[in-house]
Amino acid sequence: MNLNALKNYFPEISSRRFTQIGTSLIILMVILMGIVQIYAPFDQDEIEAVHTAWKVIHDGEIYRDFFQHHHPFLYYLLVPIIKFFGEVYHTLLIIRMIVFFQYFLIGLITYLLAKKLFNAETAILSVYLLLTSVIFTKLLQIRPDGPQVLCGMISLLFLFSFFEQQNKQKRCVQLIVSALFLSLSFLFLQKAIFLMAAIGSILLFQLYQRKVSFIECAVFAIVFSLPVLIYFLYIWSIGAWDFYLKFNWLLNAMHTGRFLPFYTLQLLAMSQLLCAFYAIGIFYYLESYYQKIIGWCSLWLLFAAIVIARFSYAQYYAPAIPLMAMIAGYALYKMCMGNTYKMLMIIFALSWGSLIGNAYQVVKMVVKGINREPHEKINFVLNNAPEGSSVYDGKSFFNLFRHDVDFFWFEARMNHDKSDLIPIYERLTGNNYDVHAAVEKYAPSIISNYYVNLNNKIIVNSYDQSEKFDDLLIRKKEIFHGAAE
């Protein structure tokens, strides 16, 4: 069916009307995704993030007093939320709803940047492709990757606004905001160094072409450096600098990760529509100078996630996905020759596919009670481990608001399928990791059977199998009460 025949079946749809309909459908998709988040199972990284924030409140300084190998800004932001809503399970849900709002903001920034660099129709299509990306749904979880991506996208938005701005005062403000948000992105997660490298290269190339001045580049570098320098001085002042370097950089660099091309292709295939249109857009449709810069950035971020990071976790691709969505949206726009009829039909197809999929997930999770056991287990631990007591979890499954038995409190296992953190930790610190000795020393109220020898005499003599959960052991009553006395 050609375009002229198509016009006989549909009334005229203006660009403004197309944007209104598209925005309405996006809002409907976002609302349904928010409902899914209430019932979706919690990833272990989410438990780790919330528990780290709790440890900041109770267990001292990050890196110095307990292990963590991510940058800390997310955990500091979670501290007042935990203090306000309390150390209860529902605080976890509240934090997830806040993270959902962050996901919405990433979509909004993607729309604004796509509109600036392409056009309004492309911006709508970009957000659709972003929301239908399975990989990007990782940012609906409580993890530092989300705010890292959000701040990085805001930095890019203001950077391109700076390039286009002629007013010197406004130009300076946009440059400062871009540098500040890039700095915040780095404080959320060290993987922001890949975007930092991209933006630094862009500015240097612009300087070479005399489109920006040396003074402007210097201002950007100074504003970016100040928040990072202030934090570095803080961790040095509390005696955590050595641990910061070892855990955030050396330990992660020493992972025995490897390049996994087939797993990478499998992950990208989960967002096949986005990837297909992105490939077409990269090769055929990027036209303007700044569109090509975005294309270069997206390729660099993909390369960094696949080759440099060495692990094919879905969230590692998240910084590239919004840029890929913009390029894919523009390819779709060009393939439809800007015709709103075709684009609207594609939007409806994408929307209803996503809506039906999310509705099915809600029904399945409610009927099967997928999140019921984690909910019950977290509450079981909170109710049976008194405040101030210790719990041994081992892998961030259930311990939200109780103390741990060791400095190295999660991923406590040998022969990791992708890395072996314990030997690396021991080489870096000179400490030996012995979970059974830690259990004997701290006498936790509840322990997991994760990475524990159930035949060990300390475990046999002091713990009984939980009647409710197969993977939990409870300290024997006579021993527990004797210790309390």
Side-chain angles (χ1 to χ4, degrees):
M1 182 179 292
N2 58 38
L3 295 182
N4 290 328
L6 197 60
K7 291 180 180 179
N8 295 327
Y9 290 95
F10 294 94
E12 184 70 23
I13 299 178
S14 66
S15 175
R16 181 179 178 182
R17 185 63 174 165
F18 170 82
T19 302
Q20 290 173 341
I21 296 172
T23 302
S24 300
L25 289 173
I26 285 175
I27 292 172
L28 183 59
M29 289 173 65
V30 167
I31 290 172
L32 192 53
M33 291 175 76
I35 297 173
V36 170
Q37 284 310 101
I38 297 174
Y39 295 100
F42 286 99
D43 188 275
Q44 71 176 78
D45 289 352
E46 297 182 88
I47 306 296
E48 175 205 327
V50 176
H51 187 55
T52 300
W54 182 87
K55 290 178 77 68
V56 169
I57 299 172
H58 293 277
D59 288 350
E61 296 289 350
I62 193 170
Y63 312 132
R64 186 192 70 187
D65 299 318
F66 60 89
F67 174 76
Q68 183 53 257
H69 64 137
H70 299 100
H71 274 189
F73 201 36
L74 171 65
Y75 314 128
Y76 293 143
L77 291 182
L78 293 179
V79 164
I81 300 173
I82 294 172
K83 285 184 176 180
F84 183 81
F85 290 102
E87 298 174 7
V88 293
Y89 171 81
H90 292 292
T91 300
L92 193 62
L93 291 176
I94 291 168
I95 293 173
R96 210 183 223 187
M97 289 299 99
I98 295 172
V99 169
F100 173 73
F101 179 69
Q102 159 206 280
Y103 186 84
F104 168 79
L105 289 178
I106 295 173
L108 177 62
I109 299 300
T110 301
Y111 172 85
L112 294 174
L113 187 55
K115 186 177 180 181
K116 177 182 290 293
L117 298 179
F118 298 95
N119 53 55
E121 291 84 0
T122 296
I124 291 292
L125 293 171
S126 300
V127 176
Y128 267 103
L129 290 168
L130 184 70
L131 294 179
T132 56
S133 168
V134 176
I135 292 176
F136 204 66
T137 57
K138 272 288 184 179
L139 298 195
L140 286 165
Q141 297 174 347
I142 307 166
R143 55 174 68 250
D145 303 81
Q148 174 218 343
V149 172
L150 175 60
C151 290
M153 288 296 294
I154 294 173
S155 179
L156 281 174
L157 177 63
F158 278 92
L159 182 68
F160 283 100
S161 298
F162 158 75
F163 289 148
E164 295 178 350
Q165 184 59 247
Q166 299 300 318
N167 182 284
K168 288 186 177 181
Q169 189 174 10
K170 292 180 179 180
R171 186 177 171 90
C172 181
V173 170
Q174 289 163 347
L175 182 69
I176 289 172
V177 173
S178 177
L180 179 61
F181 274 95
L182 184 61
S183 183
L184 292 177
S185 180
F186 177 72
L187 290 176
F188 277 115
L189 200 59
Q190 56 266 45
K191 288 196 291 287
I193 57 172
F194 300 131
L195 181 61
M196 289 159 52
I199 289 180
S201 299
I202 292 169
L203 285 171
L204 289 175
F205 187 66
Q206 294 281 74
L207 177 64
Y208 171 76
Q209 293 189 319
R210 298 183 179 181
K211 294 183 178 181
V212 301
S213 67
F214 177 80
I215 296 295
E216 289 172 327
C217 289
V219 168
F220 188 96
I222 291 170
V223 173
F224 167 82
S225 300
L226 279 176
V228 176
L229 181 61
I230 290 170
Y231 182 70
F232 283 173
L233 288 173
Y234 171 72
I235 59 175
W236 176 80
S237 70
I238 62 172
W241 178 252
D242 184 54
F243 286 150
Y244 164 78
L245 292 178
K246 287 178 178 178
F247 299 150
N248 283 275
W249 299 101
L250 293 179
L251 184 141
N252 288 321
M254 293 168 69
H255 277 191
T256 55
R258 55 194 181 275
F259 175 45
L260 301 171
F262 295 109
Y263 184 57
T264 296
L265 291 174
Q266 180 184 352
L267 276 174
L268 294 177
M270 294 165 64
S271 300
Q272 63 269 25
L273 276 175
L274 183 148
C275 290
F277 287 118
Y278 167 72
I280 295 170
I282 279 286
F283 285 107
Y284 293 107
Y285 290 121
L286 297 184
E287 300 164 338
S288 74
Y289 175 77
Y290 292 124
Q291 289 173 7
K292 291 176 181 177
I293 286 180
I294 284 293
W296 177 86
C297 281
S298 67
L299 289 171
W300 158 247
L301 292 174
L302 276 177
F303 174 82
I306 296 170
V307 179
I308 300 177
R310 296 186 298 177
F311 288 110
S312 291
Y313 293 132
Q315 61 267 26
Y316 283 29
Y317 298 89
I321 297 295
L323 308 185
M324 293 173 65
M326 288 188 284
I327 295 167
Y330 190 58
L332 187 54
Y333 170 82
K334 295 291 284 187
M335 292 171 71
C336 291
M337 294 178 285
N339 184 271
T340 53
Y341 301 122
K342 283 189 175 181
M343 289 190 292
L344 195 58
M345 285 193 294
I346 291 171
I347 280 179
F348 272 112
L350 290 175
S351 299
W352 290 112
S354 177
L355 289 171
I356 293 171
N358 282 320
Y360 170 74
Q361 289 296 324
V362 170
V363 172
K364 184 175 74 171
M365 286 187 288
V366 172
V367 172
K368 292 187 176 181
I370 290 178
N371 214 24
R372 190 176 302 143
E373 182 176 327
H375 180 176
E376 292 176 353
K377 187 178 291 184
I378 290 170
N379 276 331
F380 178 83
V381 171
L382 290 174
N383 292 331
N384 290 274
E387 289 187 24
S389 67
S390 298
V391 166
Y392 169 71
D393 187 336
K395 200 175 181 289
S396 304
F397 284 136
F398 53 81
N399 185 21
L400 278 180
F401 305 126
R402 293 294 183 264
H403 296 287
D404 299 289
V405 300
D406 196 88
F407 178 90
F408 193 81
W409 55 277
F410 69 94
E411 289 294 346
R413 55 177 167 171
M414 304 290 285
N415 301 320
H416 191 297
D417 59 347
K418 293 181 180 174
S419 66
D420 214 352
L421 293 182
I422 294 174
I424 296 172
Y425 160 76
E426 291 176 336
R427 290 202 301 272
L428 289 175
T429 63
N431 297 327
N432 293 321
Y433 181 84
D434 187 340
V435 63
H436 303 98
V439 168
E440 183 178 29
K441 178 179 179 180
Y442 292 99
S445 304
I446 296 172
I447 66 173
S448 166
N449 63 8
Y450 186 79
Y451 189 62
V452 168
N453 180 4
L454 297 179
N455 295 319
N456 183 282
K457 65 177 183 179
I458 297 169
I459 306 301
V460 172
N461 294 336
S462 303
Y463 291 89
D464 290 323
Q465 174 69 48
S466 166
E467 296 179 359
K468 188 169 185 179
F469 299 102
D470 294 337
D471 58 340
L472 296 186
L473 293 92
I474 303 176
R475 193 161 180 83
K476 292 182 178 181
K477 292 182 179 180
E478 62 273 15
I479 296 177
F480 181 79
H481 289 305
E485 292 172 358

